[in-house]
Amino acid sequence: MASALTVMFLGFFLWPSVTNAAAPRKPIDVPFQKNYVPTWAQEHIKYINGGTEVQLVLDKSTGTGFQSRGSYLFGHFSMQMKLVPGDSAGTVTAFYLSSQNSEHDEIDFEFLGNRSNQPYILQTNVFTGGKGNREQRIYLWFDPTREYHSYSVLWNMYQVVFFVDDVPIRVFKNSKDLGVRFPFNQPMKIYSSLWNADDWATRGGLEKTDWNKAPFVASYRSFHIDGCEASVNEKVCATQGRRWWDQQEFRDLDGLQYRRLRWVRQKYTIYNYCADRARIPTMPPECARDRDV
Ligand SMILES: *[C@@H]1O[C@H](CO)[C@@H](O)[C@H](O)[C@H]1NC(C)=O
């Protein structure tokens, strides 16, 4: 009896790892309401398909945003997004995790819009203990306004991985041994927003938002969260080894994932703070790991 229970218990925590693939499991369709609430300008959020899809609307008066109900310490967080189509120059659509205190941790996806038929830029960043300046920028290998694509973050004690669909586009390894702070003890909420940032976003602020093209609309669905909810029991979340994302195969990328990451580096990366000696004269310590890619 006891052993049967133990097996069930272990099975519960280890279940997704039996697939033996280092990619996080596929999200299922989760309605907005279950995990998220509007943060601001809630009249600019439109619910469609019974709340399984939402649209954020930006017009001259305001943008809008939403956030997760819970705070999480480690896990896998994903969202499917279809970005503002057409002339989206000046707009920024973001999907990020952030802790709430002053020396905060943050994991960012920011999509910088562009003029019609000009490429979006996906900028990522990582803040730890309030320190950021870790921007990387890529072009995508598809038009992110045509169809839904999934954007996700895998976060455990060993690494933070940014995925676009099944492709890891960035890894931030735990480099505590190199004296770099890693997000490990501050629960984060998940946020998304759409706003006007034409002071900096498109070609460094040269391209202004064309309000004649408003409203600007970004669409979302599949509000999957598989994290340890810290508001429920933070100590349990900090305990290592029990959840699927703690398991061996999620502690590092596998061979295929490294190959994909290198492909992104070679073909789509347009900026990497690790290589920007003009802006950051001394190479940040964690960049030593970046070179392994
Ligand atoms: C917008 O398009 C221009 C011209 O192709 C390009 O230089 C720029 O990187 C694109 N993206 C943004 C966000 O500026």
Side-chain angles (χ1 to χ4, degrees):
M1 181 64 186
S3 71
L5 273 177
T6 310
V7 168
M8 276 176 66
F9 180 76
L10 281 174
F12 174 74
F13 285 108
L14 298 177
W15 167 62
S17 67
V18 300
T19 61
N20 197 29
R25 70 181 136 135
K26 284 269 183 280
I28 40 167
D29 232 13
V30 179
F32 178 81
Q33 281 281 338
K34 180 169 181 277
N35 289 325
Y36 289 95
V37 290
T39 311
W40 47 294
Q42 55 173 303
E43 72 289 352
H44 279 233
I45 302 183
K46 296 215 157 55
Y47 299 87
I48 47 183
N49 281 336
T52 55
E53 287 185 53
V54 303
Q55 294 183 330
L56 302 197
V57 179
L58 165 68
D59 61 23
K60 211 162 182 180
S61 71
T62 183
T64 184
F66 60 85
Q67 66 185 73
S68 61
R69 294 175 186 273
S71 302
Y72 301 88
L73 196 61
F74 306 122
H76 176 233
F77 312 91
S78 81
M79 197 116 53
Q80 290 191 16
M81 299 168 64
K82 200 158 56 176
L83 303 177
V84 175
D87 187 342
S88 59
T91 71
V92 173
T93 309
F95 164 42
Y96 60 104
L97 278 66
S98 182
S99 66
Q100 283 88 58
N101 19 11
S102 57
E103 298 208 334
H104 79 299
D105 297 331
E106 188 175 311
I107 300 166
D108 287 325
F109 281 96
E110 291 185 310
F111 300 90
L112 319 185
N114 217 335
R115 303 257 87 108
S116 297
N117 303 316
Q118 299 297 314
Y120 261 79
I121 286 174
L122 168 51
Q123 170 167 297
T124 56
N125 202 356
V126 177
F127 285 73
T128 62
K131 185 197 165 296
N133 295 329
R134 297 194 176 100
E135 294 86 356
Q136 291 185 358
R137 290 180 163 200
I138 66 170
Y139 289 134
L140 295 161
W141 48 95
F142 52 83
D143 177 352
T145 72
R146 282 179 66 89
E147 264 145 27
Y148 277 108
H149 288 268
S150 93
Y151 302 94
S152 63
V153 171
L154 171 72
W155 173 31
N156 58 31
M157 199 57 179
Y158 305 87
Q159 57 179 357
V160 171
V161 189
F162 296 71
F163 288 94
V164 172
D165 296 323
D166 287 334
V167 179
I169 60 151
R170 178 170 187 172
V171 185
F172 184 77
K173 297 237 154 230
N174 189 332
S175 300
K176 190 166 166 259
D177 57 326
L178 303 176
V180 180
R181 196 155 147 174
F182 187 79
F184 77 103
N185 63 347
Q186 307 196 81
M188 298 201 245
K189 284 193 175 197
I190 300 105
Y191 298 85
S192 185
S193 49
L194 169 61
W195 79 96
N196 176 41
D198 67 1
D199 53 330
W200 64 273
T202 309
R203 291 209 303 124
L206 293 175
E207 304 283 344
K208 296 300 171 191
T209 302
D210 179 358
W211 294 108
N212 292 320
K213 304 281 165 46
F216 302 99
V217 177
S219 309
Y220 295 74
R221 70 178 186 201
S222 193
F223 301 90
H224 165 88
I225 291 180
D226 195 359
C228 190
E229 196 168 348
S231 41
V232 176
N233 193 337
E234 201 168 326
K235 279 213 182 69
V236 169
C237 297
T239 309
Q240 293 302 302
R242 303 175 93 192
R243 309 289 182 142
W244 66 261
W245 54 80
D246 297 330
Q247 306 309 311
Q248 194 63 45
E249 65 262 48
F250 300 103
R251 296 180 186 180
D252 195 1
L253 301 184
D254 64 18
L256 174 63
Q257 290 177 324
Y258 272 116
R259 280 201 296 284
R260 288 177 165 169
L261 180 58
R262 276 194 292 273
W263 172 77
V264 171
R265 277 297 162 79
Q266 283 158 15
K267 293 212 141 94
Y268 297 99
T269 301
I270 52 174
Y271 178 82
N272 186 351
Y273 76 107
C274 283
D276 188 352
R277 281 297 87 73
R279 181 174 155 232
I280 308 169
T282 317
M283 191 175 76
E286 73 275 12
C287 292
R289 298 237 147 95
D290 204 64
R291 279 192 306 220
D292 301 343
V293 172

